[in-house]
Amino acid sequence: MTLAYRHHRPELYGYARDNFFALLFTSYIIGSLTGPGIWYSTTVANPRGISELIHNFMGVWAAEWVWFVTEVTLVYVMVYLFDKVGHRTYMYLSWVFAVVSWGTMLIIVGILSFMMSPGSDAWFQSGNVLQAFYNPNYFPHLLMRTGFMIALGALLGLAVATRIREADLRAWIVRRLAGAGLVGMAFGGAFFPLYLHTLPDRARVTLDGIIPSSVKLSIAAGIGALALALLLLWLRPKLRYAAGFVVILATVTLVLAIYPQERVREWIRKPYIAGDYLYVNQLVARDVPGKGIRSELETVERHGFLSVHPFVPERLKTVTPENVLEAGRAMALVSCAACHSLEDSGPRPLVLKMQGMTDPNAVEQFLRARLNGDPAHGGAPYMPKLVGTDDEIRGFPSTSPSKIAALPPRPPLKRPPDDAEGVGHVLGRPPESADGIRSNHARV
């Protein structure tokens, strides 16, 4: 828009309108269909993680909502008021739209970076939202993501440019879009080493030693393919290409680079779901004095994970010789199902990972050593500490994982009534006797 206005090139206005329409359709109309599903699935999969993020960043979420509503409103304005406002006004509106669109990224990246790690003990002691938001990973993450988003925006513009019939105009636009994409990739890539440097130690260990090489190669291949295509179009802007070429390139980038990269970011964040204190199985793993949060691990070890969990039926809250197999499955579900499947398919199935381990004593020793929560003493840096009573932990490997997986599925569990007997629940009604759980529950 700026080039069209300042250089008096009215032929660019039609392209700008088509570009805004493509953005409206792909990012906002389709996004309005997928966004609610994403929020619903994340809330169901880890309600406590979402709750903690809302409590920590209430004002930040509110600000993001203002930016986002403004952004959505402006994209409709840019499409439907194209012929109803002056070119100068339209240029200013396009700049406002660009700023508020980047503003949503400014906010979301702060929350995403906090989910990786607050970066220091300062936030744990103060609970200050700014210390959580402006963590060491924030600016490298923001600048890296900004660069690559410029490249993806250029990719969308190249798809729209295929509709231009005039060869010289199309070549002029293609060359500038390809150049902008290359600059964006170079800019984002320049901050990638700093992004890695600001990751917590456990994340770097997981990235270096656990993430398969094939995944890293896939990401590199996807980024390389995008860079080569942009370079080709920059060198030969008059090259005729169809919209299908850009669609294929976008699909390759999505499948080979964006999706694996998002998965890697989820992997290296573990064993936490947020802030280095909330495990992926929704247990609070350490004290956060600044927020009045207390670790629940000691309470769970004393009373038992099955006993305090609100969705475990009463018959399984105490492990007995009669229910040890079913209780073992329940223990595997509440402890491991956030990351592992109990069947022989699905994400990281326990059946396959523990295949051949049939001696209960050997399995117990392995689990206690590997899931001790202390990487310095052999614990897996990416897995939560296995907590529970001795009976629960001994019952966990009481039989082979394949037998646990073979148990028939139970009907959906209901939340226990308010007068349920026994020890209170970590995620439900906290009892007076469950130290460290009641205060946390008040926040969640």
Side-chain angles (χ1 to χ4, degrees):
M1 285 304 306
T2 303
L3 291 174
Y5 177 77
R6 290 183 177 176
H7 296 280
H8 305 288
R9 300 195 60 170
E11 68 273 17
L12 293 178
Y13 287 112
Y15 169 76
R17 178 191 56 197
D18 292 343
N19 212 3
F20 275 114
F21 180 80
L23 188 65
L24 170 64
F25 180 76
T26 57
S27 297
Y28 297 91
I29 295 178
I30 296 179
S32 69
L33 301 176
T34 59
I38 293 173
W39 275 103
Y40 176 79
S41 60
T42 55
T43 303
V44 170
N46 207 303
R48 215 174 190 196
I50 294 295
S51 176
E52 289 297 311
L53 293 177
I54 291 174
H55 279 86
N56 279 309
F57 297 105
M58 178 65 74
V60 176
W61 284 115
E64 193 274 339
W65 180 250
V66 173
W67 285 101
F68 180 69
V69 170
T70 306
E71 176 188 351
V72 173
T73 302
L74 278 174
V75 75
Y76 278 94
V77 167
M78 301 305 291
V79 171
Y80 291 103
L81 295 186
F82 176 77
D83 296 324
K84 298 178 177 62
V85 297
H87 289 165
R88 184 178 182 180
T89 301
Y90 199 79
M91 179 186 69
Y92 288 150
L93 286 174
S94 68
W95 276 106
V96 174
F97 173 76
V99 170
V100 297
S101 297
W102 192 54
T104 60
M105 182 189 292
L106 288 173
I107 294 177
I108 292 302
V109 167
I111 298 173
L112 292 176
S113 297
F114 170 81
M115 292 176 69
M116 181 68 69
S117 174
S120 70
D121 287 333
W123 173 78
F124 290 95
Q125 301 303 320
S126 68
N128 187 295
V129 66
L130 293 181
Q131 288 179 326
F133 188 86
Y134 293 110
N135 54 79
N137 187 247
Y138 174 72
F139 285 106
H141 188 181
L142 172 66
L143 295 173
M144 180 185 71
R145 189 175 284 256
T146 297
F148 286 113
M149 290 305 105
I150 291 173
L152 293 180
L155 192 61
L156 177 64
L158 289 170
V160 177
T162 60
R163 295 170 53 86
I164 301 175
R165 296 181 180 275
E166 185 182 342
D168 290 340
L169 176 62
R170 183 174 61 251
W172 188 87
I173 291 175
V174 165
R175 187 178 183 88
R176 279 154 181 78
L177 286 174
L182 289 172
V183 170
M185 294 190 71
F187 182 83
F191 288 96
F192 180 64
L194 186 57
Y195 171 80
L196 295 178
H197 180 72
T198 57
L199 292 175
D201 290 340
R202 70 168 194 283
R204 289 198 292 270
V205 170
T206 302
L207 184 61
D208 294 338
I210 305 301
I211 303 300
S213 298
S214 58
V215 175
K216 301 175 187 178
L217 290 174
S218 172
I219 296 173
I223 294 175
L226 177 59
L228 288 175
L230 291 175
L231 180 60
L232 174 65
L233 293 174
W234 183 76
L235 293 174
R236 301 187 60 185
K238 291 188 176 182
L239 181 69
R240 293 298 301 249
Y241 65 93
F245 168 75
V246 182
V247 171
I248 292 174
L249 182 58
T251 303
V252 168
T253 305
L254 174 64
V255 174
L256 294 184
I258 297 177
Y259 174 73
Q261 179 271 328
E262 292 296 318
R263 292 293 297 151
V264 168
R265 187 166 55 83
E266 295 288 330
W267 282 336
I268 64 178
R269 190 172 63 213
K270 291 179 172 62
Y272 302 101
I273 193 68
D276 278 358
Y277 74 96
L278 185 67
Y279 276 158
V280 291
N281 59 13
Q282 304 188 72
L283 285 180
V284 175
R286 64 170 290 179
D287 295 340
V288 185
K291 289 290 186 179
I293 299 174
R294 298 170 60 185
S295 171
E296 296 167 346
L297 300 188
E298 182 180 347
T299 300
V300 172
E301 287 179 335
R302 184 167 64 252
H303 296 293
F305 204 173
L306 298 179
S307 295
V308 302
H309 200 285
F311 297 109
V312 173
E314 291 296 325
R315 69 179 184 279
L316 300 179
K317 288 187 177 294
T318 301
V319 181
T320 65
E322 291 75 22
N323 72 2
V324 63
L325 184 59
E326 196 172 3
R329 177 185 173 88
M331 188 66 179
L333 281 171
V334 298
S335 301
C336 310
C339 303
H340 296 279
S341 168
L342 298 191
E343 288 72 35
D344 57 2
S345 60
R348 295 171 290 280
L350 286 178
V351 175
L352 301 181
K353 287 186 174 293
M354 301 177 66
Q355 196 169 23
M357 300 178 67
T358 58
D359 182 357
N361 292 327
V363 175
E364 179 187 351
Q365 292 175 10
F366 170 78
L367 292 176
R368 287 185 182 273
R370 192 61 174 155
L371 306 182
N372 63 21
D374 185 2
H377 292 84
Y382 50 89
M383 296 183 72
K385 180 180 180 180
L386 181 62
V387 291
T389 63
D390 287 341
D391 286 342
E392 288 177 341
I393 295 178
R394 280 193 292 265
F396 187 102
S398 60
T399 186
S400 66
S402 59
K403 290 184 179 179
I404 293 179
L407 281 171
R410 290 284 177 177
L413 302 177
K414 299 180 180 180
R415 178 182 289 277
D418 289 340
D419 59 351
E421 297 179 356
V423 181
H425 312 296
V426 173
L427 304 180
R429 176 177 55 86
E432 297 294 333
S433 60
D435 300 333
I437 293 179
R438 177 179 56 177
S439 59
N440 295 343
H441 171 74
R443 302 179 65 260
V444 179

